[in-house]
Amino acid sequence: MAIEKESKFMEWFNEILQTAEIYDYRYPIKGMGVWRPYGFLMRENMLKIIRKYLNETGHQEVLFPLLIPETNLRKESEHITAFEEEVYWVTHGGKDKLKIKYALRPTSETAIYPMYALWIRSYKDLPIKYYQVVNIFRYETKTTRPLIRVREVTTFKEAHTVHATRQETEEQIKEAVQVYSKIFDELALPYLVLKRPAWDKFAGSEYSVAFDTIMPNGKRLQIGTVHFLGQNFSKVFEIKYLKPDGSHEYVYQTCYGISSRPLAAVIAIHSDERGLILPPSISPYHAVIIPIYYKEGKEKVLGYSLKIKNKLLKSGFRVKEDFREEETPGSKFYFWEMKGIPLRIEVGMEEVNNQSVTVVRRDNRQKVRVEENILVTKIRELLDKIQKGLKEKADKWMQEKIVEVHDLRDAVEKIGRGFVVKTWWCGEEKCGRDIEDKTNAKVFGFPFPWEEKQKETSSKKCILCGKKAKFNIFLGKSY
Ligand code: P5A
Ligand code: ZN
């Protein structure tokens, strides 16, 4: 790649999306882009991982309409106040002006909850753990960026759960955090799990927990959020249930969501100067087979390449062969390295004669000769190593991006140099907001769950007012 990733991150990012043919952002509506086949496969693989972890914890998939009547969207006041400026409205059906205009869902609470009110009658109907995978629309006012801040989020995975008690709902938050942790681990992403400060919670929630990662330029990217809604929505949508004792109570709710952002983070964090490095978990192909031959060996080399391919396909690997005649092996190496395929399998006459292949890792470019009789085991082992190696490297990288500071000037200086700072805060909202103003940065929040992580705080002081600290916070620039 011609552009340097850390210093000119956004340019680098735009270039890689184009060159690797992932997502084309030149669609003639701002904030909307096109998934190309290669990106589509990455998106599919990510979706499979998310569905796997949601399904195995008892979440069930549903599908609601795209349009929400204005009257419903307006019911929860905090929610509509926050989303008002971001809603796309459908005002006409053909030539007819609609009596009640419809919103293109900016998120689906107000689409789903009126139906929950119809479905939920008694405690026997609870809990409900539904999710859907849909596109949502937000007329974002901040600078839009491909995959990171779009106006059409094309693969929004949103879960909406309903519970009988506050206690059970708190447990659900923990389950969601666990599920999301597993998902991001499998994407080999480094992340912080933080409870957001009150002034930055999801509109309509009691509190929000967010997963944050750090991009190569030092900016925080929120890659997923989990919200405790309490009874805020159930009270306005009249979602009540009959308790075993015969009385009625409003239900408690949570919701949580993931967009295309984790994919942006995967692309950004693991790649190097040669292009993408994809974790095997979401790479469109685990391995690409490249034949190397001169005129005489062609048939034998191609035949053996196909044999290897079929063997790997049968064992469940995603494999592609590149038999293009018009390209040299060298240019194919270069091409698939840029595309980030974890393993390159080279097959030449020597390999044919020795019933073996040569395998090259994308992450560290190590080359090994692998006998055909142990091919499947060896490929699995190499992919595991790459997967784990990427996660470890990324975790370490992120830790190095976080530095501890104890005074405001130091914080400003470190943030200016592309770091995220770890510091302490008294817990007063006014103080927190002043910290944001004075550092021209955002308070990301404090570690979740808080109770288990506050030991080291007792001896610390608030970075602004100097009073006894209550929270260890993270602070930095943000998308
Ligand atoms: C949770 C799911 C919600 O909308 N309702 C249903 C809740 N939460 S959220 O925080 O507003 O969004 C969830 C995640 O989506 C990402 N995200 C976006 N990604 C790309 N472009 C956007 N315009 C955009 N808006 C939100 C964030 O990662 C967020 O965590
Ligand atoms: Zn303070």
Side-chain angles (χ1 to χ4, degrees):
M1 307 298 294
I3 302 170
E4 215 269 323
K5 182 168 94 168
E6 307 217 343
S7 61
K8 294 187 172 158
F9 173 66
M10 240 15 248
E11 284 166 58
W12 175 89
F13 187 64
N14 285 320
E15 192 196 18
I16 193 90
L17 291 180
Q18 286 295 336
T19 322
E21 301 179 317
I22 296 167
Y23 185 81
D24 199 325
Y25 200 52
R26 293 171 299 178
Y27 190 76
I29 298 181
K30 189 169 129 91
M32 300 187 187
V34 183
W35 289 96
R36 302 185 66 184
Y38 196 73
F40 195 91
L41 289 171
M42 291 165 65
R43 172 183 171 277
E44 284 284 297
N45 290 334
M46 177 166 105
L47 198 48
K48 270 189 206 145
I49 293 170
I50 294 173
R51 282 201 169 106
K52 177 180 75 182
Y53 288 117
L54 287 173
N55 293 346
E56 77 178 26
T57 45
H59 294 77
Q60 294 176 293
E61 190 164 352
V62 295
L63 188 56
F64 277 74
L66 164 64
L67 299 179
I68 304 174
E70 181 180 18
T71 38
N72 282 359
L73 191 72
R74 289 200 181 280
K75 279 202 168 135
E76 210 288 331
S77 62
E78 203 177 280
H79 191 69
I80 183 61
T81 309
F83 280 106
E84 182 101 67
E85 309 277 288
E86 293 187 5
V87 176
Y88 282 93
W89 291 106
V90 175
T91 55
H92 287 76
K95 286 184 179 158
D96 299 336
K97 190 159 186 281
L98 299 172
K99 282 202 187 79
I100 295 175
K101 52 185 183 172
Y102 302 140
L104 297 184
R105 60 183 160 221
T107 168
S108 306
E109 286 73 11
T110 59
I112 296 175
Y113 301 168
M115 299 307 289
Y116 278 175
L118 298 177
W119 295 335
I120 295 163
R121 286 283 156 263
S122 97
Y123 67 94
K124 291 177 199 156
D125 300 323
L126 301 175
I128 284 183
K129 287 157 71 172
Y130 288 170
Y131 73 98
Q132 63 173 1
V133 182
V134 295
N135 50 352
I136 56 158
F137 295 83
R138 293 183 184 178
Y139 186 70
E140 292 278 355
T141 45
K142 286 193 192 166
T143 315
T144 58
R145 303 179 190 283
L147 304 183
I148 291 172
R149 188 177 299 283
V150 281
R151 287 180 169 175
E152 180 185 15
V153 179
T154 47
T155 323
F156 196 60
K157 283 73 59 176
E158 52 174 328
H160 296 266
T161 73
V162 191
H163 309 271
T165 64
R166 176 168 282 271
Q167 169 67 25
E168 196 187 311
T169 315
E170 297 282 7
E171 290 305 315
Q172 190 55 39
I173 295 287
K174 287 190 185 136
E175 179 185 274
V177 167
Q178 255 175 22
V179 167
Y180 278 12
S181 301
K182 283 187 188 160
I183 291 168
F184 296 132
D185 285 343
E186 198 155 331
L187 298 178
L189 288 175
Y191 54 85
L192 298 167
V193 187
L194 303 175
K195 187 164 171 184
R196 286 274 184 265
W199 64 91
D200 196 22
K201 68 181 175 64
F202 180 68
S205 74
E206 274 186 29
Y207 68 84
S208 294
V209 180
F211 286 76
D212 286 334
T213 194
I214 304 177
M215 296 299 252
N217 57 359
K219 281 196 188 182
R220 174 276 298 269
L221 182 70
Q222 173 184 295
I223 50 175
T225 37
V226 179
H227 312 294
F228 186 94
L229 302 178
Q231 294 176 314
N232 289 347
F233 283 89
S234 67
K235 284 184 177 160
V236 294
F237 285 100
E238 285 290 323
I239 318 176
K240 283 190 216 167
Y241 74 101
L242 176 72
K243 293 166 82 167
D245 68 7
S247 65
H248 283 86
E249 201 193 347
Y250 291 110
V251 299
Y252 292 84
Q253 294 177 277
T254 80
C255 68
Y256 29 105
I258 298 182
S259 71
S260 49
R261 282 184 182 183
L263 210 56
V266 169
I267 292 167
I269 291 173
H270 303 303
S271 52
D272 66 9
E273 70 290 345
R274 290 167 186 270
L276 290 178
I277 297 180
L278 295 177
S281 57
I282 65 151
S283 181
Y285 310 106
H286 292 127
V288 57
I289 300 175
I290 299 178
I292 304 164
Y293 54 82
Y294 303 95
K295 278 201 183 91
E296 318 79 64
K298 178 174 174 182
E299 252 165 59
K300 279 189 181 153
V301 167
L302 294 187
Y304 191 59
S305 297
L306 285 178
K307 185 179 171 208
I308 295 291
K309 179 189 171 189
N310 288 328
K311 199 164 185 169
L312 290 173
L313 282 179
K314 262 196 213 127
S315 298
F317 296 106
R318 302 189 285 269
V319 199
K320 174 158 184 86
E321 77 285 7
D322 186 351
F323 285 3
R324 286 176 294 172
E325 301 262 353
E326 69 281 11
E327 298 289 337
T328 62
S331 69
K332 291 177 188 174
F333 293 177
Y334 182 80
F335 178 79
W336 292 108
E337 277 183 349
M338 180 274 292
K339 291 271 205 178
I341 306 294
L343 296 174
R344 171 170 91 226
I345 298 178
E346 301 175 4
V347 177
M349 268 320 283
E350 208 185 308
E351 281 81 3
V352 175
N353 292 332
N354 293 309
Q355 300 290 292
S356 66
V357 294
T358 297
V359 183
V360 184
R361 281 170 65 159
R362 171 64 180 90
D363 61 338
N364 60 13
R365 310 187 65 226
Q366 266 172 17
K367 207 175 215 185
V368 282
R369 180 61 77 82
V370 180
E371 309 271 325
E372 192 192 321
N373 57 7
I374 54 159
L375 180 71
V376 167
T377 331
K378 194 70 193 170
I379 294 290
R380 187 159 292 133
E381 188 186 302
L382 286 169
L383 290 172
D384 280 352
K385 277 193 182 149
I386 294 174
Q387 182 75 36
K388 287 205 187 83
L390 287 178
K391 169 73 173 149
E392 275 164 25
K393 192 172 163 211
D395 280 345
K396 188 161 169 280
W397 175 84
M398 194 180 82
Q399 284 316 317
E400 284 164 6
K401 276 276 181 198
I402 301 175
V403 291
E404 203 174 313
V405 306
H406 300 274
D407 76 82
L408 223 48
R409 264 225 321 261
D410 200 15
V412 172
E413 193 262 334
K414 293 290 186 326
I415 292 167
R417 284 172 43 211
F419 288 101
V420 164
V421 305
K422 176 181 175 182
T423 188
W424 281 267
W425 168 50
C426 60
E428 293 296 322
E429 176 158 342
K430 163 115 185 28
C431 220
R433 287 180 182 270
D434 283 351
I435 292 173
E436 289 191 336
D437 286 347
K438 293 203 155 76
T439 55
N440 193 18
K442 294 269 287 177
V443 172
F444 302 166
F446 43 88
F448 174 89
W450 175 244
E451 309 77 47
E452 291 158 29
K453 294 180 175 152
Q454 58 182 343
K455 270 189 222 118
E456 82 179 299
T457 302
S458 56
S459 62
K460 308 285 182 181
K461 293 195 164 59
C462 174
I463 189 177
L464 189 67
C465 69
K467 285 188 202 137
K468 193 170 152 18
K470 198 162 167 202
F471 299 109
N472 149 221
I473 54 167
F474 292 85
L475 182 67
K477 295 283 185 192
S478 174
Y479 275 110

